[in-house]
Amino acid sequence: MKNQEILHDEDESFASASRIKYFDMVIESGEGAILKDVEGNEYIDLLASASSTNTGHSHPHVVDAITKQAQKLIQYTPAYFANLPAAQLAKRLTELAPIDGPAELSWGNSGSDANDALIKFARGYTGRQDVVSFTGAYHGSTYGSMSASGVSLNMNRKMGPLMSGFYKVPFPSPWYREPYETEDEFVDRMFEEFKLPFDTYLPADEVAVILIEPIQGDGGIVKAPEKYLKKVYEFAHEHGILFAIDEVNQGMGRTGKWWSIQQFDGIYPDLMTVGKSLASGLPLSAVIGKKEIIESLEAPANVYTTAGNPVTTAAAMATIDVIEDEHLLERSERLGVKSKVFFDRMKEKYNFVGDVRMYGLDGGIDIVDPKTGKADVKVATKLIYRMFELGVIMITVRGNVLRFQPPLVITEEQLEKAFDVIDQAMDDEANGRIQFDKTIGWSTD
């Protein structure tokens, strides 16, 4: 069948709210960093299924683990009985967690319900109800995680009221920095804005948790300044507030470390969430925290019928094997340096390329109007569509930010070929050769 035929048939029965529209393609198969659609077209994947296939598509070791486990037992709910892969994974994952002291976890099916669980445990442990998160955050699409998010108005529109007790403060993204400000001045100003609610209407002694993505994903692939995050961390502990991180997008080796928080010195979360690439894209997530926090609630406060089932946890065990055995942390860091060099060269070559942020194989590249320096959504959209035509999958976040998150197993030859395509697309835009004016991608308004 053809892509358009399948999409037309699907459209009759699939909700518009459940897909962010980018390209008209139907994926049939994948191997490593290569995708193939139903018409046989091949693409180099620079998205890794929204950073949920860090080990690549259909990695043989992961496939073998899934197959062997499925032949023995696909599902029996961990809500009532243990299974071997989940029991083994719990020990392995808590030992990897960047938490100071003994840690425990609770399983979920997605990053969304993991963040819901984080809120439950934070409230249960502290006896407080309020949650502070950040603008630009994407924590998920369930009511709890959506209430903590701040990346798109379509995650609020027509669905209110959202949960009470949620407050958002500005994330210190570089586009909020004034031209005259030094780094220290910017950090000080953003921290004063962080404190403003606590000084005026939000009692710190009623706040259970501060939840942050140390490196925001859908907010633009942008790292919080280290001095800023340290100030927030110290403020939380001074006021008995739990400090929690969302590693769903940025964890599992994405930034060249196991966890993005390890890009910051001396910060250890009380709670954290992980998902997406935990089981190489299979539906598995976890909230991990200090033992005393996770033990603050009793069953059935956070149980799900399928969470932590034998197949997904076997896949996660294999995923960790691959990351360790193939040295994907080091690979992400090394190829990230190579990618930064390439995109910096594109910035020198094309005046519509703005800030380039790269943390391992994890990049946000701003596309801007060269006259004003402001976001240029139209040009960014034209670029990703031209890349798609040339055989590379890349999308935008925030409308104008190129999202660069290839599988960590991408070969250097594939990466170089993708660079050639990106350069070609930018050259086509610079010379007025791209004819595309449709609206696609994330809606932020």
Side-chain angles (χ1 to χ4, degrees):
M1 294 183 71
K2 300 293 186 181
N3 287 312
Q4 291 293 351
E5 292 174 357
I6 296 171
L7 291 169
H8 179 269
D9 290 345
E10 183 196 48
D11 191 53
E12 298 297 316
S13 54
F14 187 70
S16 298
S18 295
R19 179 172 298 144
I20 301 168
K21 183 174 175 54
Y22 278 100
F23 313 122
D24 291 339
M25 65 180 296
V26 179
I27 299 170
E28 181 186 52
S29 61
E31 183 178 353
I34 301 297
L35 294 173
K36 184 182 290 186
D37 71 13
V38 293
E39 296 179 14
N41 301 306
E42 291 192 352
Y43 303 88
I44 300 173
D45 183 11
L46 300 185
L47 177 59
S49 186
S51 194
S52 67
T53 53
N54 289 358
T55 57
H57 303 291
S58 301
H59 192 287
H61 184 58
V62 178
V63 171
D64 185 57
I66 292 169
T67 302
K68 288 179 177 177
Q69 182 56 51
Q71 290 170 340
K72 293 193 293 185
L73 179 67
I74 293 177
Q75 162 67 357
Y76 204 97
T77 176
Y80 295 121
F81 306 110
N83 67 75
L84 183 59
Q88 293 173 329
L89 178 62
K91 183 176 187 298
R92 196 172 183 186
L93 193 55
T94 53
E95 288 175 349
L96 283 173
I99 290 172
D100 188 17
E104 290 186 352
L105 61 73
S106 183
W107 299 121
N109 295 293
S110 71
S112 297
D113 63 40
N115 281 313
D116 280 3
L118 183 149
I119 295 161
K120 294 179 189 177
F121 286 108
R123 286 175 165 174
Y125 178 72
T126 63
R128 305 174 180 184
Q129 70 170 29
D130 292 333
V131 176
V132 172
S133 59
F134 290 77
T135 58
Y138 179 79
H139 295 298
S141 289
T142 54
Y143 261 93
S145 60
M146 191 166 63
S147 297
S149 297
V151 72
S152 171
L153 292 178
N154 278 352
M155 293 179 67
N156 296 66
R157 185 176 280 119
K158 300 180 182 179
M159 293 178 287
L162 298 185
M163 291 179 61
S164 63
F166 285 75
Y167 301 87
K168 296 180 182 67
V169 292
F171 189 85
S173 299
W175 38 85
Y176 298 135
R177 181 174 170 180
E178 300 293 347
Y180 57 80
E181 287 182 309
T182 66
E183 175 78 4
D184 285 346
E185 289 171 339
F186 175 60
V187 165
D188 288 343
R189 179 170 65 82
M190 294 305 293
F191 186 63
E192 287 303 312
E193 292 190 30
F194 164 82
K195 288 195 301 179
L196 183 60
F198 296 97
D199 293 337
T200 55
Y201 65 88
L202 181 62
D205 58 8
E206 294 182 10
V207 175
V209 63
I210 296 170
L211 173 61
I212 191 170
E213 296 170 275
I215 299 176
Q216 279 197 344
D218 292 303
I221 314 292
V222 57
K223 179 184 178 184
E226 292 195 36
K227 288 183 179 179
Y228 175 87
L229 198 64
K230 188 73 171 179
K231 285 175 177 285
V232 172
Y233 178 69
E234 291 172 350
F235 178 92
H237 286 174
E238 285 170 9
H239 295 276
I241 302 169
L242 299 182
F243 180 82
I245 59 171
D246 181 334
E247 293 279 355
V248 175
N249 187 310
Q250 300 290 307
M252 299 301 292
R254 172 51 59 189
T255 68
K257 307 285 186 183
W258 270 109
W259 315 109
S260 66
I261 195 64
Q262 292 170 328
Q263 300 285 349
F264 303 80
D265 291 331
I267 297 181
Y268 304 96
D270 300 302
L271 286 163
M272 62 181 286
T273 52
V274 58
K276 286 187 182 285
S277 277
L278 174 58
S280 290
L282 266 61
L284 178 67
S285 66
V287 55
I288 312 172
K290 290 183 175 180
K291 183 181 179 70
E292 62 267 26
I293 298 173
I294 300 299
E295 285 297 321
S296 66
L297 298 179
E298 297 181 4
N302 196 59
V303 296
Y304 309 91
T305 301
T306 57
N309 78 62
V311 173
T312 59
T313 51
M317 289 286 285
T319 298
I320 295 173
D321 289 344
V322 172
I323 293 172
E324 291 179 342
D325 295 346
E326 298 186 13
H327 307 289
L328 295 189
L329 303 184
E330 297 85 351
R331 203 165 190 283
S332 176
E333 187 173 16
R334 178 172 60 83
L335 294 184
V337 171
K338 184 183 183 78
S339 300
K340 180 72 161 60
V341 170
F342 166 75
F343 282 110
D344 281 342
R345 184 158 52 86
M346 294 300 97
K347 181 177 181 178
E348 294 178 2
K349 189 174 180 180
Y350 301 107
N351 61 7
F352 49 76
V353 178
D355 190 33
V356 174
R357 300 173 295 280
M358 196 71 60
Y359 321 101
L361 278 175
D362 182 50
I365 300 91
D366 295 348
I367 303 302
V368 300
D369 182 331
K371 295 179 181 178
T372 65
K374 302 296 185 181
D376 196 327
V377 175
K378 184 176 181 180
V379 169
T381 301
K382 289 165 70 177
L383 287 172
I384 62 170
Y385 193 80
R386 182 59 180 143
M387 292 177 205
F388 169 68
E389 291 182 320
L390 295 171
V392 166
I393 300 295
M394 183 186 279
I395 68 168
T396 52
V397 292
R398 295 193 78 253
N400 76 304
V401 179
L402 302 182
R403 177 178 182 167
F404 178 77
Q405 292 185 311
L408 306 184
V409 297
I410 191 170
T411 68
E412 294 199 48
E413 181 181 1
Q414 291 165 345
L415 194 59
E416 290 287 355
K417 187 175 179 181
F419 290 161
D420 290 342
V421 167
I422 294 167
D423 193 356
Q424 179 64 60
M426 290 184 173
D427 185 72
D428 287 345
E429 169 56 25
N431 290 283
R433 293 192 292 265
I434 305 177
Q435 303 300 318
F436 184 77
D437 59 1
K438 295 181 181 179
T439 299
I440 59 175
W442 275 84
S443 173
T444 58
D445 54 28

